Structure formats: structure tokens, C-alpha cells
Amino acid sequence: KQEVTQIPAALSVPEGENLVLNCSFTDSAIYNLQWFRQDPGKGLTSLLLIQSSQREQTSGRLNASLDKSSGRSTLYIAASQPGDSATYLCAGANAGNNRKLIWGLGTSLAVNP
Amino acid sequence: GAVVSQHPSRVICKSGTSVKIECRSLDFQATTMFWYRQFPKKSLMLMATSNEGSKATYEQGVEKDKFLINHASLTLSTLTVTSAHPEDSSFYICSARDAGTSGGVFGPGTRLTVT
């Protein structure tokens, strides 16, 4: 059974820092892994999706990696800005079973000016 | 890009009434839709998965007679919270996916408050 864990639960950094958010999963037979952003009281914004055959995906200042053998994914945010403050969620999908997503509890990020 | 809408965005209802939430895929055909609920400061909890034209598959612990899901067309799924109680107050989010894509597109969510 797939389980997804995110560390840390909360993170506060000064503006400009490069930071890494961690996501671990228990079942290496993962179909894909996604990172999402959620602002308070809002829906989800998909940031990056990594297929099981891929090692990383990049979008702007964001880079997500996937290491199936170690059961880990990281989201790297370069040159953080106050506008990056949000909760970041990772979710893994296994093949079959409608590829439903298994969610981590999220990392609440605060970037301080 | 693909867009999913939800209506209403916010709803307040009295205890005992029923509320219907719509989830629409605006520019693609959603063969599969997922319904989630999210408690404050918690992650998403999958409630059910629906494939167009089939009965929804509910997750363990989710009452199918209380949370009625209909996925009658490739662009619309509805979640009806029947005989709502204050403990049903939550943020409900849908996600839609077509047959050819890996990821889903999420709606903006519906905030339900039952008084």
C-alpha cells in the first residue's frame, strides 16, 4: 500500500534562499508523482508531474526530482520569494486502480521579506 | 490549458438540507473524476472515484448514501451532500482526467458550511 510522507511539515525562510522540500513514498512501483501548490482557502495548482520513467522536471525556478529506488522526490525552489509562500503537496499515483493519487500532508512554506 | 470549474464556490446551508456541487471539465472530456474533501490544515482525502457512465467507487469510510455522486456525462460530475450536518462542513475539491493524460486537473474547490 502506497504511503506518502512530507518533511518538513513547516518551513520558514528569508527571501532569496534556495530550499528543498522532501517527499518520500513506500511503493517504488509508482506511476507518476506530482507536486502541487495550495494557497490558503484555495484549490490546487499543479506545479510539476514526473513520470516513473523520468528523473526530474523543471519549470522556472522549480525543479522536481524522482528517485524510485530510494522512494524519494524533492522539490527545489531557487531564489525563493514571498509569493512562494503556500502549502506544497506531493502526491503519488500507482498504476491501476484508476491511478488515484496518494497524498502527503504537505509542507507549509513561509518566505519572509 | 485544461480547466475544471466547480459551482458553487461557496455555499452555506442549514442542517438537514441537501447541497449539490457541480464539477465541469471545460475543454476536455473527463473519463474519470475524483472527489476530495479537505479539513482545515489537513491534506486531501479522496472520497470517491467516478468513471463516466458507471457507479462511483467510494473509499472506505465514505457513506455512499450520504455523498451521492453522479457522472452522467464526459464533462460533468455532481456531488450531492444529503441531509447535511455541521460536521459535513469542509472544502470539497474535484479533479478530472481524460483517458490520455497522466495527471488530473483540479477544480478550485467548494467551501461548504452547514449551520
Side-chain angles (χ1 to χ4, degrees):
Chain A
K1 178 184 174 184
Q2 184 72 272
E3 294 181 3
V4 177
T5 306
Q6 289 187 247
I7 295 174
L11 183 63
S12 181
V13 300
E15 181 177 4
E17 269 202 13
N18 301 324
L19 54 98
V20 175
L21 307 181
N22 297 294
C23 174
S24 60
F25 49 92
T26 55
D27 188 347
S28 61
I30 198 164
Y31 183 81
N32 63 48
L33 187 136
Q34 295 186 66
W35 283 92
F36 296 86
R37 169 186 173 140
Q38 185 174 31
D39 292 281
K42 303 291 185 182
L44 297 170
T45 300
S46 179
L47 298 174
L48 292 163
L49 182 152
I50 312 175
Q51 300 287 4
S52 62
S53 58
Q54 298 173 325
R55 294 292 297 247
E56 65 178 346
Q57 285 285 343
T58 299
S59 176
R61 294 183 293 107
L62 305 179
N63 175 277
S65 67
L66 177 64
D67 184 342
K68 288 172 42 178
S69 62
S70 66
R72 292 181 181 178
S73 175
T74 60
L75 178 67
Y76 176 81
I77 303 176
S80 58
Q81 303 170 358
D84 296 330
S85 299
T87 296
Y88 291 81
L89 296 157
C90 75
N94 281 22
N97 199 14
N98 276 311
R99 302 203 301 272
K100 67 180 183 181
L101 294 173
I102 308 299
W103 295 84
L105 291 177
T107 294
S108 177
L109 173 65
V111 180
N112 305 305
Chain B
V3 176
V4 170
S5 69
Q6 279 186 241
H7 178 79
S9 57
R10 290 179 177 272
V11 57
I12 300 173
C13 70
K14 292 187 176 180
S15 190
T17 60
S18 295
V19 175
K20 180 183 286 188
I21 302 170
E22 293 185 347
C23 176
R24 292 182 185 272
S25 58
L26 298 184
D27 47 7
F28 67 100
Q29 294 185 327
T31 52
T32 305
M33 285 190 173
F34 303 88
W35 284 95
Y36 297 87
R37 70 183 292 183
Q38 186 177 32
F39 295 100
K41 298 185 179 180
K42 299 290 185 182
S43 189
L44 280 74
M45 181 191 81
L46 179 65
M47 299 173 66
T49 303
S50 71
N51 291 299
E52 186 265 339
S54 302
K55 287 186 177 180
T57 301
Y58 289 80
E59 295 298 302
Q60 191 173 7
V62 178
E63 299 175 61
K64 62 181 181 181
D65 294 331
K66 179 166 185 63
F67 298 99
L68 301 178
I69 291 172
N70 183 283
H71 190 171
S73 78
L74 285 171
T75 59
L76 174 64
S77 176
T78 60
L79 166 67
T80 301
V81 183
T82 62
S83 187
H85 289 122
E87 56 265 32
D88 298 326
S89 299
S90 192
F91 193 53
Y92 293 87
I93 304 176
C94 73
S95 170
R97 191 181 69 211
D98 67 26
T101 58
S102 296
V105 181
F106 283 78
T110 296
R111 173 75 59 192
L112 170 64
T113 302
V114 184
T115 60

